[in-house]
Amino acid sequence: MMTDDATRRWQDTQHIDDLWEGDMVGVEIDGTKVLVVNVDGAVRAFENKCPHQAWLLDEGDFDGESITCLRHMWTFAADTGAGINPDDTTLKSFPCRVNADGIIQVDVE
């Protein structure tokens, strides 16, 4: 029986040493813009697009707990992608992991 992890299409982004706690970075995987954030040592990946007007979130602010879109100040919880302001929206998230070599991998499918 295959595990969920084994069936994913993991794609390398960057080394975990290049994404410190409280940092975020925008990357592109197969044409999909992805926002990778390090929340207290846990890596999360979201679509790099504000659901409001599709502004790139990596151009906004990340204070270690929340991501704020630069355009209209919409704010999201960095650990879940749940909307804070407004609270009726959520960022699209992608499965991600850090492999044994320290490479952050994301599955955008």
Side-chain angles (χ1 to χ4, degrees):
M1 180 175 166
M2 297 180 79
T3 65
D4 183 49
D5 200 51
T7 60
R8 295 208 177 275
R9 189 167 170 259
W10 296 112
Q11 300 199 49
D12 294 349
T13 60
Q14 65 183 63
H15 198 276
I16 187 66
D17 288 347
D18 296 326
L19 186 70
W20 293 29
E21 290 184 22
D23 279 351
M24 69 176 175
V25 65
V27 298
E28 188 166 326
I29 301 172
D30 288 343
T32 301
K33 295 184 186 313
V34 177
L35 179 71
V36 182
V37 297
N38 185 334
V39 184
D40 291 330
V43 178
R44 304 283 188 249
F46 302 102
E47 187 172 26
N48 190 7
K49 180 172 71 175
C50 181
H52 180 217
Q53 291 187 342
W55 201 262
L56 292 174
L57 292 169
D58 69 322
E59 295 178 357
D61 184 52
F62 175 44
D63 65 4
E65 296 180 3
S66 61
I67 301 162
T68 302
C69 179
L70 179 67
R71 183 71 174 169
H72 292 110
M73 309 308 282
W74 281 31
T75 306
F76 307 89
D79 58 343
T80 65
I84 297 171
N85 180 26
D87 62 3
D88 62 348
T89 188
T90 303
L91 298 177
K92 179 180 180 180
S93 65
F94 299 112
C96 66
R97 69 179 185 181
V98 179
N99 73 10
D101 295 325
I103 303 297
I104 300 169
Q105 298 178 312
V106 178
D107 178 3
V108 295
E109 293 188 7

